Structures are given as structure tokens and as C-alpha cells.
Amino acid sequence: MDCPNVEALVLNLSSTSYALPNFIATMKELKVVIIINHGIGPAKLTNLSCLSSLPNLKRIRLEKISITLVDILLSRLGSLEKLSLFMCSFSEVSYNIEEIAIPEALPSLQEIDINCCYDLEQLPDWVSEVVSLKKLSITNCGKLSVLPKAIGNLSNLEVLRLCSCINLCELPEYRLRSSAIYGF
């Protein structure tokens, strides 16, 4: 399939697993990718690496998808500005991410929105290394119990929104900017 001028791609699935098609890598004007699974459980998403060659990709929204958060890092999404995860399942795999330069893997990421991701127990430490991050919103993640201690080092963070994360008992020390917001 040859669609070089497509700017937005919406994939509606009803599956337990889905590999992103390789032709997506040829969509050089693609700015937005939305993947929505309508199946009973989360769909295991693979081949995220095809997104790494898209120079204009600004936003990704995943709904009811099973991924590892490390997959996002490994995809090296240089122009990504916003990542939205809704009802996603995170099957974390043990990787040595010390070899990945987080600021280089996600240099433009300004906003992460995580909502209704019920099995998210811990925000990965690498989030604290996304120096461009301005907004972090985590809502309705009932199992979330730990934020990385280094999250307080995000000097560009303007908004930290935490809502309905009932197992989150404490926050790491954080140097709030005047416009930063904590929400519970």
C-alpha cells in the first residue's frame, strides 16, 4: 500500500494480537496514529519499530492495547510530542535500558496521558529522564503505588495530575514550578 501523504491513521481492531503493517513506515507525512482495540481483552501490539522512521509523527493514542513501555523507548520516536494510553495493559519485560539514551529516544515528548490502565503498578524510571516532559497525567490507575523518585528532577514539568490512583500513598520530593498542579 502506498499512502505517502496520509497525516492521520486510525486502526480499529478486534483481536488478541496485532502486528503493525510495515507499509506504515512509508507514510512520511503521518502525524497522528490512533489504535483502538474493540476486542474483549487487550490486543498484544507488535512491530512498533515501523513508527521509528516517521519524521512527522507527533501523537500516538493506544486504547485497550497490551505493550511494554520499553517498546516505546526502543522505537525511538524522535518527533513524538504526546503519548496517550487508555485502558492499556503493560506486560513489563526486563530490559537493560541503561544503554538507551532516553533524551535522545524521546527528545520531543511533552505530554504523557495514562488513563484507566488498571494493571500499572509502577511508573517506569525512564519517565524521569524525559527532560522535555511538560505534562504527566495519570488517572484511574488503581494499582499504581510508586512513582519514580527522580520524577522530581523533571525541570520542565508544568502539570503533574494524579487522580483516582488509590494505592499511591506518597509522592517523591518535587520542586514545584509555580504553575504545577497536583491532583488527587
Side-chain angles (χ1 to χ4, degrees):
M1 187 181 280
D2 187 28
C3 307
N5 297 320
V6 171
E7 293 185 7
L9 177 65
V10 179
L11 295 173
N12 287 294
L13 319 173
S14 184
S15 176
T16 57
S17 64
Y18 185 78
L20 290 177
N22 289 328
F23 71 81
I24 291 176
T26 66
M27 299 176 161
K28 300 300 182 191
E29 297 301 317
L30 197 60
K31 295 177 183 172
V32 178
V33 172
I34 301 171
I35 303 172
I36 303 168
N37 178 30
H38 299 282
I40 295 172
K44 173 78 175 136
L45 188 64
T46 57
N47 198 25
L48 265 73
S49 61
C50 72
L51 301 176
S52 64
S53 64
L54 302 174
N56 297 308
L57 186 61
K58 305 285 185 215
R59 295 176 180 253
I60 295 176
R61 178 173 174 88
L62 303 177
E63 294 187 20
K64 214 170 172 186
I65 299 295
S66 176
I67 59 167
T68 67
L69 290 171
V70 174
D71 287 339
I72 293 164
L73 284 179
L74 296 174
S75 297
R76 298 197 178 268
L77 303 167
S79 60
L80 187 67
E81 294 176 359
K82 182 174 182 180
L83 175 64
S84 299
L85 305 167
F86 180 71
M87 292 182 64
C88 288
S89 176
F90 304 104
S91 53
E92 282 308 318
V93 178
S94 181
Y95 285 102
N96 183 5
I97 64 162
E98 292 176 7
E99 299 171 3
I100 301 172
I102 309 302
E104 292 173 17
L106 298 167
S108 304
L109 188 60
Q110 296 177 21
E111 186 174 347
I112 299 175
D113 185 11
I114 302 172
N115 188 8
C116 297
C117 297
Y118 302 116
D119 69 347
L120 181 65
E121 295 178 10
Q122 179 175 334
L123 198 62
D125 290 337
W126 64 259
V127 171
S128 302
E129 297 180 44
V130 181
V131 294
S132 56
L133 197 62
K134 292 181 179 179
K135 181 179 179 186
L136 176 59
S137 176
I138 306 171
T139 56
N140 301 305
C141 296
K143 288 187 177 182
L144 181 69
S145 60
V146 178
L147 292 177
K149 289 185 180 184
I151 205 160
N153 298 334
L154 289 171
S155 60
N156 290 318
L157 193 64
E158 296 171 359
V159 176
L160 174 60
R161 182 171 181 249
L162 303 167
C163 184
S164 298
C165 300
I166 58 174
N167 281 329
L168 188 60
C169 297
E170 69 179 273
L171 298 173
E173 274 194 43
Y174 185 73
R175 295 182 305 269
L176 286 173
R177 290 177 52 165
S178 60
S179 62
I181 298 170
Y182 275 115
F184 295 95

